[in-house]
Amino acid sequence: MMIGAITLGSSFAFMYFVNSFTLAVVCFAINGIGHPLLLTSIFGSTGQYFEKRLYLVMGLITSGIGIGTLIIGVELEWALENFGWRATMLIQSAIVFQICICEIGRAHV
């Protein structure tokens, strides 16, 4: 999970420094690598903690991803209007790096 979060957060942070379309495409390609790494590990690590109600928890995670997608769309629109696209990428990076902080505190089974 940590590798996916670092990859995804770094790609958002590097977008702040992009000066050409080619670099933007590279950053979004890295983003496309980090996002599945993060989501796959979230589903994989859930099975370690919830054996009895695994399908319920998987449904809750999937619903949370959908709700989060709706919320992040509104947040991105607000941030783009108020801060510009470069600062918005840093905000996105900070949100993703919060996953690293949570992962450090997670008890490993």
Side-chain angles (χ1 to χ4, degrees):
M1 189 177 318
M2 189 74 83
I3 294 171
I6 290 171
T7 306
L8 188 60
S10 298
S11 69
F12 281 127
F14 290 145
M15 282 295 291
Y16 181 81
F17 302 104
V18 165
N19 291 327
S20 70
F21 180 73
T22 306
L23 288 176
V25 169
V26 169
C27 286
F28 277 114
I30 295 170
N31 191 329
I33 293 169
H35 196 260
L37 284 173
L38 182 62
L39 287 181
T40 305
S41 61
I42 288 172
F43 283 109
S45 64
T46 304
Q48 296 175 354
Y49 293 103
F50 302 99
E51 294 176 7
K52 241 179 152 179
R53 305 255 185 217
L54 180 63
Y55 298 112
L56 174 67
V57 173
M58 292 290 192
L60 289 173
I61 290 172
T62 305
S63 299
I65 290 170
I67 292 169
T69 302
L70 290 173
I71 292 171
I72 206 75
V74 174
E75 181 264 332
L76 282 175
E77 182 180 0
W78 176 83
L80 282 169
E81 289 175 1
N82 292 313
F83 301 116
W85 72 271
R86 290 183 189 269
T88 301
M89 290 297 116
L90 286 180
I91 292 169
Q92 284 291 104
S93 178
I95 290 170
V96 172
F97 280 133
Q98 291 296 321
I99 296 170
C100 294
I101 294 171
C102 294
E103 176 66 16
I104 290 170
R106 182 174 68 99
H108 294 281
V109 175

